[in-house]
Amino acid sequence: MRYFTIQPPAELKPYVRFYWVLEHELGADEPSYIYRSIADGCTEMVFHYRSAFDELDNKTGQNAGPSGIQFQTTQYRRFITTESFGIFGAYIYPFAVPCFFNIASSQTSNLAFDFDTFLSRPGRELEERIMLAADNNKRAEVLSAFLIARLRKNGLKDERMAIAIRDVIHNKQYRTVAQLANAYNLSERHFDRKFKEYAGFSPKTYMRLTRLQDALRQYNTDKTLTRIAMECGYYDQSHFIHDVKEFTGYHPGFYFSGKAEGTEYRNT
């Protein structure tokens, strides 16, 4: 399995965390591959340029298609393919959703669509250009041009909320919503409303999602689960177990064992 990232151009870096590529050749002893996407506070645009996946256990009834957009979500999903595959994706901050798609982040949480449904003709054309691109660097160029053109039409309207969301994701000094609201000189109620508008979830829920991602980034370390939970800000082991089970579908002991679906790329 091959996984790597590509950095976006400077104009997009405040909005796009990175582009990513996942490729895998199925062997003779591997009739299928199951990928499990987990809850995440960021939005992803996903293009299957080699083969396609079918969704398992589709409880939402939404049409995400073989390629599409998954907005920030508190849910995990499962997909299967019986062929070798190649996927190109963009990992996007939630506050960039209004800039790229002219819709409030609060209206998109837990939604997923294929590009035709969500973007109509521009979505179809974008997907076709990504599929026909010569390589992944060219795919990054194509998607960057598409996103930059949209960004220039719909600029960010509240830079303070973008900074606050980046703070939650990258800066771990804030452990409570009160601390975060105070840092931006807003009441908790006002901050909660503004934050949800741009992040898609309340600050409390969003901090749970980022705490989970912090914990899962410890996947290949030799730390104990107790230590991971403490370093990532969980109050106790039970809170850690609860969140991992809710957002990934697995007990942390199994997720970190190397046997869980969708964790193979973390070993690359």
Side-chain angles (χ1 to χ4, degrees):
M1 183 163 289
R2 181 170 179 246
Y3 171 80
F4 62 92
T5 61
I6 300 171
Q7 290 302 306
E11 187 171 354
L12 286 178
K13 280 189 176 181
Y15 308 91
V16 178
R17 294 181 67 176
F18 53 80
Y19 299 126
W20 57 267
V21 177
L22 182 65
E23 298 175 330
H24 184 55
E25 297 288 335
L26 288 183
D29 59 344
E30 193 178 11
S32 65
Y33 176 77
I34 296 177
Y35 177 73
R36 178 179 296 231
S37 67
I38 61 175
D40 200 307
C42 287
T43 287
E44 289 192 290
M45 298 178 73
V46 179
F47 301 85
H48 293 266
Y49 58 84
R50 183 185 179 193
S51 78
F53 282 66
D54 293 318
E55 184 163 6
L56 297 169
D57 312 321
N58 188 345
K59 300 175 183 177
T60 66
Q62 299 169 29
N63 178 20
S67 297
I69 184 165
Q70 169 68 69
F71 292 99
Q72 59 281 350
T73 180
T74 55
Q75 302 168 354
Y76 64 87
R77 303 169 70 191
R78 302 172 69 237
F79 304 85
I80 188 170
T81 185
T82 57
E83 302 176 275
S84 299
F85 61 86
I87 312 171
F88 176 81
Y91 197 43
I92 299 170
Y93 288 106
F95 57 77
V97 168
C99 303
F100 294 145
F101 308 115
N102 199 29
I103 185 172
S105 300
S106 57
Q107 297 179 30
T108 61
S109 295
N110 287 323
L111 296 181
F113 301 100
D114 62 76
F115 290 113
D116 186 11
T117 300
F118 185 63
L119 296 172
S120 301
R121 181 177 177 179
R124 294 194 299 273
E125 292 175 347
L126 173 65
E127 186 174 357
E128 182 177 3
R129 293 185 66 200
I130 293 288
M131 299 304 179
L132 296 176
D135 55 39
N136 285 301
N137 286 321
K138 184 61 178 179
R139 290 184 180 97
E141 291 177 13
V142 169
L143 185 52
S144 293
F146 176 84
L147 294 177
I148 286 172
R150 287 180 161 249
L151 177 64
R152 290 175 178 174
K153 292 180 180 179
N154 297 293
L156 186 63
K157 294 181 173 58
D158 195 332
E159 179 65 31
R160 182 165 56 170
M161 283 299 104
I163 294 172
I165 293 167
R166 287 196 202 98
D167 249 359
V168 172
I169 294 172
H170 300 296
N171 186 345
K172 307 309 170 189
Q173 67 174 307
Y174 304 114
R175 296 299 188 185
T176 68
V177 176
Q179 290 174 340
L180 193 57
N182 185 63
Y184 290 89
N185 298 313
L186 294 172
S187 68
E188 281 191 57
R189 183 176 180 180
H190 185 51
F191 180 81
D192 189 284
R193 180 178 62 80
K194 293 292 292 182
F195 189 96
K196 184 174 183 179
E197 179 182 351
Y198 283 88
F201 296 111
S202 69
K204 183 177 180 180
T205 297
Y206 204 82
M207 291 171 88
R208 288 179 64 204
L209 290 170
T210 57
R211 195 159 51 228
L212 171 80
Q213 292 296 330
D214 288 343
L216 299 187
R217 274 191 283 272
Q218 307 291 326
Y219 182 82
N220 282 320
T221 67
D222 57 2
K223 297 176 183 177
T224 65
L225 295 181
T226 299
R227 182 177 175 187
I228 291 173
M230 291 179 61
E231 289 184 355
C232 293
Y234 288 94
Y235 295 112
D236 52 42
Q237 191 80 353
S238 64
H239 281 88
F240 176 55
I241 293 172
H242 178 271
D243 277 12
V244 174
K245 288 179 69 175
E246 178 179 348
F247 293 142
T248 74
Y250 287 123
H251 185 284
F254 188 75
Y255 188 91
F256 284 87
S257 71
K259 301 176 182 178
E261 296 169 350
T263 59
E264 295 86 355
Y265 81 97
R266 295 183 183 273
N267 294 318
T268 60

